[in-house]
Structure formats: C-alpha cells, structure tokens
Amino acid sequence: MKRKYFGTNGIRGEFGKLINPKFLSRMSLAIASSLNNKGTIVLGSDSRLSSPFIKHIITANLIASGIEIIDLGIVPTPLVQFAVTHLKAHLGTVITASHNPPEFNGIKVIDSDGIEISIKKQLKLEENFEKNISNFTKWDKVADVSTMNLIPDYVEQIVSVVDEEKIRKRKLTAVVDGGNSVGGLVTPLVLKRLGIKVISINCQLDGRFPGRGVEPSPEELGKMSNVASYSKADFAIAHDGDADRAIFGDEKGSVFYGDRSIAIFEKWVFGNIQNKKFVTPVSSSNVVIDIAEELGVEIIWTPVGCIYVSRTMIESKSMLGGEENGGLFYAPHQCVRDGAMAAALMANIIAETNRKLSELEKELPKYHQKKEKIKCSDFLKEKVMSYIENNVPKEVEVNTIDGLKLIYPAGWILIRPSGTEPIFRIFVESNTEKDTNEKMKKGITLVNNAVEKYS
Ligand code: MG
C-alpha cells in the first residue's frame, strides 16, 4: 500500500494548503486513537511562524482525546527523540518542515523507542485519518499539558559520550550557523559545555529564515566559511531547520558535502572499535566504501531515508550510520540523526587526532558528484521506472535497494523517483569531472527516453 500523506520523513506541506486546521485536527485524532486515547506525548517545534498555531491545534485535540502532553517548546527534532526515551513517553510529535522553505510546515511522529514511526504505523495512522475517528473524552477527563525544559539533560547526554577532558585541553574554536532555527539554541551550549569558544551566526530564532535560508547546502554557507577562515576557527558547523543534520566546514573556509564528514566519522569510529558495521543509504559516496575497505568495515546499504538507517542500525547493532545530506547517527547517544551530536563528535575527533579538519578531509579519496532532477507526473513514475530497468546497459551491475543504482567499474548513477515531488532524481559520482558529466548525460537520456515514451 502507498502512503498518501507521509513522505520520506514525516508529513510536510504548505501552510494553509495540506497543512490546515482541519487536516491537523483529524491527524491529531488519528494519533490519539493509535494510542487508544491514553498515554503521554512529548511535543516540540522548530522556529517557523506557523508552528505555535499548529501546536495549539494538536495540543487541543490530543488532550481532549485523553492524551497527556509534555510541551518541550522550540527545540531540535533529535531533542524530542531523546525526550521520548528519557521520559518514557508513548510517542513524540515534532512540528517542523525540516529544510523546506518558511511557508511550509509539517509533523514528524516519533515512536516510543525515539525513532520515527515505521511505515506500517504511518499507514495505520493514515487509515485512522481516513476513517475520521474521534474519541473525545468526557469533560472531567480532559488531560493535562505541562511544560519542560529538557535542553540541559540533552546537552549532558551528548557530553557523556565524548571525551570531555581531551576536548577541553585543545581549546578549540567553532563557528555555529544555526540557520535562524533550533540548532542555534542547542549546539552552542553543547560546544561551550566542552570548553570550546563558539562564534554564533544566524543563531537568533526567526521563522522567516533571513540569514541564509534553512537548507544548509554548502553553496549557501559563504558567510560561515568567511567567518571560519577569518577567525581561524578549528571547524564550522551549519544545521538545517530542525537541526537533525550537520554540514561542516574547516579552518580554511572550505565547506564539505555531508558524505565527506560522514567518512571522517566512519574512519575515526571504526578505527577504535571491534563492531565494524556501518549503515548508510545507497546515495552515499564511494568514499565510504574506500574507508570501509581500509578498516575492514561491513557496509549495510539501505534505501534513502533516515528511518531506514535508524531501524537497520538497531537490527544490526551497528555503532554508526551516516547520510550524504549530513545526517550522523551515533548509537552511543541515540540511533537517530542528530546535528548537535555530530558537532561534539567532530570536536572529539579533532582533539584526539590532533589534526586540522582540512587535513582529515584532504586524505580522503576525491570523487566528483552531480545531482539533477527531471519532471515526471506521479502516476507515470512506476511505468517509467520499469522501462528504465529494462533498458539499462547489459554490462552494468544493478542495485535496486532504492530506485536503480547502476554501478560501473568507476562511479555510479542512481535514478530514484522522488517520494514527495513529481520528479525523478539523478545522482552521479565518478573519479573525474569529465566522466561524471558523461555519466550524468547517460542518466538524463535514460530517464528522458522513458518519460517521453509514456507522455
Ligand atoms: Mg531535518
């Protein structure tokens, strides 16, 4: 069965369109009925202008259905995930549209183990939603709302899984670009707690995201890069709107794609432990394979989406997961991607290796990457996909974990129908820029031919 509202990571849409009062009320009632109208839900939101309004609607519907609410305020998604397990709540709900523009909003639903609810549970919620179930409680059974500041506990939990003493000794300096959202509330506190001097930019909350937009693409992080090189900071870090992702820059002002920093984490973590299982989606750079071969690490590939990485980590008892978008999953803290955890771990690596971040990045093998999208109506996607499958070059190795990954002796092409937009995404990686461009041409031709055939 296909999901109607849940996408790769929660429900997202434009405020006033999909995300409207009626929809939110019905979805809240569906959530309440999934808990049989009892239990506790922790609630948090990012800094979007529409978030308080949405929070009131969700809260009103849940307490009127007998669900107790613990309101954590404006906090990162990973903090809500931590809160669910820390407070032994039954569910968590985060009001956020992550990296989408300011007019968007949405909800992420967190299970009692701190991980986003499974696709099976998402489908069940959608089923309840369609049935329009409402079980309002009697007037004297309306549940309570309490507020809680869990930031200090969250900060201490992160500090407890890194080497505080080593980090303190190095007297590091870091630039934190909060993107005008929740990352600016927590990451500076974590780093300061570790004795790091913090230079904050875009750390004032503003739901219009005027600083640099809310998506931390390396191309948008010029200010962070300038401040890092000018101030000779040891590293710089930028978050997305709900601070579950982290993009890093070095002391020279270079900013890396997520899989470069993930490879640095991979190299350090698996250089130190015996359990060598690394979980990553099929879209990750071959650089993670190079590190795995060097250190005898087993890579467990997953479809694209943090929920797959988290759940695979639990099943395989893996210590580390990582995504090309800068999502780091560090099991000693929690098996979900966590931007503030990534900041503390990077400080740990720089302190322990006594190396500059630019040096750590430079010694990784170099690859060239390109991403493109091609328009395709949702109803054509399945046909287009099977046409492409039947027309891939014979000599190429094919991986179908998510979409179609064509693996060549050097480099690969990944073709995926987007789960949230009427487009196909094409990711390409190879050893040289020339070959990357050629492979991208091949990928575009394959998709275009298929789309034209059915249009
Ligand atoms: Mg996010």
Side-chain angles (χ1 to χ4, degrees), residues 9 12 77 96-99 108 240-245 337:
N9 196 350
R12 277 180 221 171
T77 291
T96 179
S98 189
H99 62 272
K108 292 183 177 180
D240 68 325
D242 63 337
D244 54 356
R245 295 198 276 130
R337 57 185 182 194

Side-chain angles (χ1 to χ4, degrees), residues 10-283:
I11 299 172
R12 277 180 221 171
E14 255 182 84
F15 181 77
K17 292 185 177 170
L18 174 70
I19 304 299
N20 64 56
K22 243 185 197 169
F23 176 86
L24 292 161
S25 299
R26 265 176 79 171
M27 195 49 84
S28 308
L29 296 172
I31 292 172
S33 97
S34 76
L35 290 179
N36 293 321
N37 296 81
K38 52 180 188 281
T40 304
I41 292 185
V42 292
L43 191 61
S45 76
D46 68 15
S47 65
R48 283 164 202 274
L49 299 184
S50 58
S51 293
F53 172 82
I54 296 173
K55 187 159 88 177
H56 287 308
I57 293 183
I58 292 178
T59 303
N61 280 284
L62 288 176
I63 61 169
S65 305
I67 305 283
E68 193 182 323
I69 294 289
I70 301 175
D71 180 3
L72 302 170
I74 300 177
V75 289
T77 291
L79 189 145
V80 177
Q81 296 178 292
F82 162 75
V84 173
T85 52
H86 192 64
L87 302 173
K88 298 189 172 55
H90 299 90
L91 274 185
T93 304
V94 196
I95 301 159
T96 179
S98 189
H99 62 272
N100 287 53
E103 62 273 25
F104 281 73
N105 215 327
I107 49 177
K108 292 183 177 180
V109 185
I110 313 298
D111 216 335
S112 56
D113 61 0
I115 299 172
E116 289 87 346
I117 55 167
S118 65
I119 291 171
K120 201 172 150 196
K121 288 188 178 176
Q122 292 172 16
L123 285 165
K124 182 71 193 154
L125 272 189
E126 292 191 356
E127 196 187 311
N128 287 350
F129 177 92
E130 296 300 343
K131 285 186 192 157
N132 210 354
I133 297 175
S134 60
N135 287 313
F136 291 119
T137 184
K138 283 187 182 164
W139 65 273
D140 58 347
K141 295 281 187 299
V142 171
D144 288 335
V145 182
S146 57
T147 56
M148 198 179 276
N149 175 12
L150 219 58
I151 291 177
D153 299 60
Y154 173 72
V155 170
E156 287 311 313
Q157 150 110 354
I158 292 177
V159 169
S160 75
V161 297
V162 293
D163 193 330
E164 184 186 342
E165 205 180 318
K166 265 190 192 142
I167 299 170
R168 276 189 183 280
K169 265 193 196 151
R170 275 296 304 277
K171 298 195 182 340
L172 300 170
T173 300
V175 177
V176 176
D177 181 341
N180 299 117
S181 196
V182 291
L185 289 176
V186 170
T187 299
L189 289 181
V190 170
L191 297 180
K192 280 180 194 167
R193 171 71 181 73
L194 291 165
I196 296 169
K197 182 182 162 194
V198 175
I199 302 168
S200 301
I201 57 172
N202 300 323
C203 280
Q204 71 284 25
L205 297 182
D206 188 330
R208 286 165 283 246
F209 309 130
R212 45 93 172 152
V214 73
E215 163 86 79
S217 333
E219 300 76 23
E220 305 295 328
L221 300 176
K223 189 172 168 192
M224 180 181 92
S225 146
N226 288 339
V227 175
S229 60
Y230 181 77
S231 61
K232 299 192 171 56
D234 296 280
F235 69 97
I237 176 166
H239 295 301
D240 68 325
D242 63 337
D244 54 356
R245 295 198 276 130
I247 293 294
F248 286 93
D250 67 19
E251 78 286 354
K252 292 181 174 169
S254 296
V255 181
F256 317 134
Y257 283 110
D259 31 26
R260 308 289 295 169
S261 45
I262 292 304
I264 292 171
F265 289 124
E266 183 190 2
K267 193 165 179 174
W268 183 79
V269 168
F270 295 115
N272 288 325
I273 57 168
Q274 290 306 311
N275 168 7
K276 295 185 192 289
K277 284 180 186 164
F278 175 59
V279 180
T280 195
V282 285
S283 53

Side-chain angles (χ1 to χ4, degrees), residues 275-295:
N275 168 7
K276 295 185 192 289
K277 284 180 186 164
F278 175 59
V279 180
T280 195
V282 285
S283 53
S284 291
S285 165
N286 278 5
V287 68
V288 303
I289 302 179
D290 297 327
I291 303 299
E293 283 172 358
E294 193 185 306
L295 298 173

